[in-house]
Amino acid sequence: MLSGFFMSSNNLNYMNDLGYVETKSMKFHEPLKLQSGSQISEYTLVYETYGELNATRSNAVLVCHALNASHHVAGEYEGQPNSLGWWNNMVGPKKPLDTDKFFVVGINNLGSCFGSTGPMHKNFITGKLYGANFPLVTVEDWVHSQARLANAIGIEKFAAIIGGSLGGMQALAWSMLYPDKLGFCLVIASTSTLSAQNIAFNDVARQAILSDPDFHNGDFYSHKVVPKRGLQVARMIGHITYLSDNEMAKKFGRDTKEQSYKFDYGIDFEIESYLRYTAEKFSEYFDANTYLLMTKALDYFDPARNFEGDLSKALSITQAEFLLISFTTDWRFPPERSKEIVEALMKNDRKVTYSEIKTSHGHDAFLKNNFHYMSVIRAYFEKIWLKINKKFLKSKNYYYAQRENCWN
């Protein structure tokens, strides 16, 4: 890995941006069999790419997205101000995942509400909107669909697959389902299975949606309404779990909107105002049926389930090298959960690097510009780039020239 290439984290969001990007789509006619036993007969996946695929097709990197995100990883859309991708601070020219070196692919998961076939789309067979009849999909189902798209655009093997949170689960699943299709696996702020507490949070959020009178058993589209109250409560529950207590205290404390209490059930505190504001925004663009099925996919992910609960057995098929990153104040997916994966990989003699980042940002830290975090990612991708270009670089004496900057 290389040092000496780090820029100020304050500039990461806007320095050397990709500029305007375009969304692509691909339709698949072959049915996709799902883990549940159901299938999706015909579906479309939307995706974006950044950078250029090299002549040997060896520099492709797949970015797997988390629950609230999409294929729009970086850059912005022409004519749409404030449309920067959700990981724009990570992906782009001269950024930690450098698009001057790598061909980056972002794919929108099935069941999403951002373009790929989901509850808001028509069922190819019935001609009616799926709604709540869209089949439940799992992390493994997403990975199989992603593999189809990768094959369709000519990528036989990814140099690396990276994801945070739910995206990290997908990266881990890739390493088990398609072990020969990736060289490196980067799992950030994630886990191999949800704790009982996490499942409980997800169920409370789902119940808020299901009990909203405007939900109409998932058929709210035909009623021309949105279960906004349920979605807002679900979002507030989720958002609380993404932040640390320290971060909330630092941002809001017990600050009030006015000098005196109102003595009613309205908004007294700044944290209440913030949560309701973010929840209102969320309910305007996110689909309730999508929220239900994505949180259920989180609950179902458990690769050790078919191996008598032994994660090391589940990971024995892997071939990739691994980087795992956790954050000290992430109480939703705490460092202990990443360490479980590290230990299971080490039992299989896999090459694994682990970094625990000190931060106050909680689970959301994987989206932030923490200098240590960005430096680790940058250095690791430099290592990947050196490996896939080893023969060329040796011929150019690159290793000798950069020897002083290399980490072992």
Side-chain angles (χ1 to χ4, degrees):
M1 300 181 185
L2 298 186
S3 61
F5 288 83
F6 308 133
M7 66 182 70
S8 167
S9 63
N10 293 328
N11 297 324
L12 282 171
N13 268 322
Y14 303 103
M15 184 176 290
N16 298 316
D17 278 347
L18 287 162
Y20 297 134
V21 297
E22 294 183 0
T23 297
K24 306 171 185 177
S25 66
M26 185 171 295
K27 179 171 284 189
F28 294 85
H29 300 283
E30 180 184 353
L32 179 69
K33 294 182 179 179
L34 305 177
Q35 196 172 15
S36 65
S38 300
Q39 68 175 26
I40 301 178
S41 299
E42 184 175 288
Y43 60 95
T44 296
L45 293 178
V46 298
Y47 65 103
E48 290 179 8
T49 63
Y50 322 99
E52 298 292 334
L53 192 60
N54 64 14
T56 57
R57 298 179 177 270
S58 61
N59 69 329
V61 175
L62 175 63
V63 175
C64 301
H65 70 76
L67 190 154
N68 301 335
S70 71
H71 57 286
H72 183 43
V73 179
E76 61 182 332
Y77 299 131
E78 187 172 9
Q80 297 184 38
N82 303 316
S83 62
L84 285 176
W86 60 271
W87 230 359
N88 191 71
N89 58 333
M90 181 70 75
V91 178
K94 306 300 183 292
K95 292 183 179 178
L97 177 42
D98 190 348
T99 51
D100 285 342
K101 296 177 178 177
F102 294 98
F103 177 68
V104 179
V105 182
I107 304 174
N108 189 217
N109 288 338
L110 283 171
S112 174
C113 50
F114 296 117
S116 291
T117 299
M120 301 172 71
H121 294 88
K122 286 184 178 181
N123 183 325
F124 171 72
I125 296 177
T126 66
K128 298 179 180 180
L129 294 181
Y130 274 108
N133 292 320
F134 192 87
L136 285 178
V137 289
T138 64
V139 168
E140 290 82 0
D141 294 330
W142 286 331
V143 168
H144 289 312
S145 68
Q146 293 162 5
R148 284 189 178 184
L149 191 143
N151 184 63
I153 62 177
I155 299 173
E156 295 184 0
K157 181 177 182 178
F158 285 103
I161 297 178
I162 179 174
S165 191
L166 178 55
M169 293 179 177
Q170 294 167 63
L172 190 64
W174 261 95
S175 74
M176 293 179 282
L177 296 173
Y178 297 94
D180 60 338
K181 299 296 184 182
L182 71 161
F184 293 82
C185 182
L186 290 78
V187 180
I188 304 170
S190 195
T191 179
S192 63
T193 185
L194 289 193
S195 65
Q197 184 186 54
N198 273 299
I199 294 172
F201 278 125
N202 284 345
D203 189 52
V204 173
R206 287 193 295 269
Q207 291 305 315
I209 293 172
L210 292 168
S211 61
D212 189 318
D214 286 334
F215 183 64
H216 294 287
N217 294 318
D219 188 32
F220 52 89
Y221 314 113
S222 64
H223 289 79
K224 301 188 186 311
V225 295
V226 174
K228 294 186 69 171
R229 286 167 290 182
L231 263 176
Q232 289 169 10
V233 172
R235 176 58 176 173
M236 286 192 284
I237 293 167
H239 201 69
I240 291 169
T241 69
Y242 303 151
L243 301 174
S244 70
D245 183 46
N246 288 341
E247 187 67 12
M248 293 179 78
K250 185 168 65 175
K251 281 186 174 181
F252 307 104
R254 288 184 56 84
D255 293 348
T256 56
K257 296 288 289 182
E258 299 176 6
Q259 287 187 341
S260 60
Y261 294 154
K262 295 179 179 179
F263 292 98
D264 60 21
Y265 298 109
I267 296 174
D268 280 305
F269 297 93
E270 290 287 355
I271 182 59
E272 295 174 321
S273 176
Y274 169 75
L275 284 175
R276 295 190 195 190
Y277 169 74
T278 57
E280 174 67 28
K281 285 179 59 179
F282 183 76
S283 69
E284 292 173 356
Y285 69 82
F286 209 85
D287 178 65
N289 284 316
T290 290
Y291 197 93
L292 294 176
L293 68 88
M294 284 199 162
T295 55
K296 205 65 178 177
L298 274 163
D299 293 352
Y300 283 154
F301 186 63
D302 186 3
R305 182 180 175 86
N306 295 327
F307 295 87
E308 301 176 334
D310 190 333
L311 184 60
S312 62
K313 288 182 180 179
L315 293 171
S316 64
I317 195 173
T318 61
Q319 300 175 21
E321 295 184 35
F322 290 81
L323 171 65
L324 282 98
I325 295 177
S326 66
F327 300 93
T328 54
T329 53
D330 182 356
W331 59 276
R332 181 141 203 190
F333 298 152
E336 289 72 22
R337 307 315 304 273
S338 291
K339 291 175 184 176
E340 290 171 359
I341 301 173
V342 171
E343 291 173 3
L345 289 167
M346 292 177 66
K347 286 182 180 179
N348 288 293
D349 295 323
R350 297 294 175 265
K351 292 182 179 180
V352 56
T353 301
Y354 173 69
S355 182
E356 185 174 313
I357 308 297
K358 187 176 181 180
T359 176
S360 64
H361 287 109
H363 186 61
D364 268 355
F366 81 94
L367 300 170
K368 304 295 184 180
N369 288 338
N370 179 284
F371 179 78
H372 182 194
Y373 167 46
M374 290 292 171
S375 298
V376 170
I377 296 290
R378 181 185 297 277
Y380 202 76
F381 271 110
E382 191 68 25
K383 170 186 174 179
I384 296 171
W385 188 77
L386 289 174
K387 184 166 185 177
I388 64 178
N389 289 281
K390 186 174 181 180
K391 291 182 180 179
F392 171 77
L393 295 174
K394 276 187 175 180
S395 69
K396 297 295 183 181
N397 293 320
Y398 183 91
Y399 278 92
Y400 177 79
Q402 298 293 335
R403 184 173 58 188
E404 297 302 318
N405 288 327
C406 285
W407 296 350
N408 293 326

